[in-house]
Amino acid sequence: MSYIEENLKEVEQKIQAACDRAGRDRSEVKLICVSKTKPVSDIREAMRLGQDTFGENKVQEIKDKTTEITEPLHWHMIGHLQTNKVKYLPGRVDMIHSVDNAGLAAEIEKQAAKADIVMDVLCEVNVAQEESKFGLTVEQTPDFVKEISKYPHVRVRGLMTIAPYTDDPESNRGYFKTLKQLMLDINAMNIPNVNMDTLSMGMTGDYEVAIEEGATFVRVGTGIFGERDYSKK
């Protein structure tokens, strides 16, 4: 049994246990295998084990990997996205998780219109207000959603956050609660063209707590593929 297979079994058990604790059905939570910096061989091993959803942080890696792997997979852009790179994503990714400014949203509209598709996006919220991270404040988010809801080729599916790195997952529970409540509050505003159902929150260190608080996507990389070697990039 490969280490990836062992890790995936453990992650699956933890996801199921968190769903059980929260009284949720396992089908409500989608595991995104975060394959950034990892070779195609690792992705293929995860595919062999039944995984079909992968997250990348860099557009170039998405381009390279989707060129090499032609099987039908679900790719997600989960990293910070520069406006000039948006043009490479329509047709390659199912969803962009990191929309946090008007210029980026406008460019996604433009490129999605060119490709004649509707791009699913999540608004990135910096719930913990960490200076080192991108994202909207909780207070800015409702108006931002309202602003970009007018684009016919952009569909706001929900919210995403990157909680602080911590050895104590419980310390992030409040941030996940806040994001869930924010989504409920925005849905209650009945903004035309907006009916959000997606919460992308929780990573290797805290995804179980995130599931307990309503995550529908959890983004797990290190917990599946092992530590990353950034010297290769």
Side-chain angles (χ1 to χ4, degrees):
M1 187 187 294
S2 69
Y3 72 90
I4 291 175
E5 185 168 0
E6 286 180 16
N7 288 345
L8 270 169
K9 277 194 170 167
E10 184 179 340
V11 169
E12 179 52 48
Q13 287 167 353
K14 288 181 174 177
I15 291 174
Q16 183 64 63
C19 287
D20 291 345
R21 286 194 297 274
R24 300 180 65 192
D25 193 271
R26 171 66 185 87
S27 63
E28 295 174 32
V29 181
K30 187 72 187 170
L31 171 62
I32 298 177
C33 302
V34 179
S35 45
K36 64 177 182 180
T37 79
K38 294 299 181 180
V40 164
S41 57
D42 282 7
I43 296 173
R44 289 207 172 279
E45 172 65 0
M47 288 166 62
R48 183 183 72 78
L49 298 162
Q51 298 303 312
D52 65 359
T53 306
F54 294 88
E56 291 285 341
N57 275 49
K58 292 191 169 15
V59 171
Q60 188 60 50
E61 271 198 83
I62 288 174
K63 284 175 67 182
D64 292 346
K65 287 171 177 174
T66 54
T67 299
E68 192 167 341
I69 302 172
T70 55
E71 290 90 334
L73 294 174
H74 302 288
W75 292 93
H76 291 247
M77 174 62 190
I78 61 176
H80 178 64
L81 180 56
Q82 293 168 300
T83 307
N84 63 345
K85 299 280 179 69
V86 172
K87 59 180 180 266
Y88 300 112
L89 294 180
R92 289 185 191 268
V93 300
D94 287 26
M95 185 178 279
I96 299 170
H97 288 229
S98 45
V99 180
D100 65 352
N101 67 81
L104 177 58
E107 183 65 17
I108 293 170
E109 166 63 24
K110 177 180 158 188
Q111 298 300 337
K114 265 191 201 172
D116 196 25
I117 63 166
V118 177
M119 178 60 77
D120 283 341
V121 304
L122 304 179
C123 298
E124 180 171 357
V125 187
N126 186 353
V127 181
Q129 297 188 324
E130 290 184 281
E131 285 182 17
S132 61
K133 295 208 174 104
F134 295 99
L136 302 148
T137 66
V138 169
E139 293 73 26
Q140 290 169 329
T141 305
D143 284 342
F144 181 71
V145 171
K146 206 177 287 182
E147 183 183 349
I148 69 174
S149 69
K150 63 181 186 269
Y151 290 128
H153 299 89
V154 174
R155 180 166 47 213
V156 183
R157 288 286 305 279
L159 307 174
M160 180 269 246
T161 197
I162 301 172
Y165 180 77
T166 176
D167 290 328
D168 175 21
E170 277 299 325
S171 65
N172 284 338
R173 189 179 293 275
Y175 302 128
F176 299 142
K177 273 186 196 291
T178 297
L179 198 72
K180 172 74 182 284
Q181 189 58 51
L182 181 61
M183 185 175 82
L184 294 174
D185 291 346
I186 294 172
N187 276 340
M189 294 165 68
N190 294 316
I191 301 167
N193 199 30
V194 174
N195 181 24
M196 301 193 293
D197 59 6
T198 303
L199 287 173
S200 173
M201 58 189 196
M203 294 162 53
T204 293
D206 55 17
Y207 65 88
E208 295 165 85
V209 172
I211 290 168
E212 291 170 10
E213 295 303 332
T216 60
F217 281 129
V218 291
R219 311 179 304 269
V220 183
T222 307
I224 295 168
F225 299 112
E227 294 296 333
R228 293 187 187 87
D229 180 2
Y230 286 105
S231 66
K232 292 177 184 170
K233 286 283 138 195

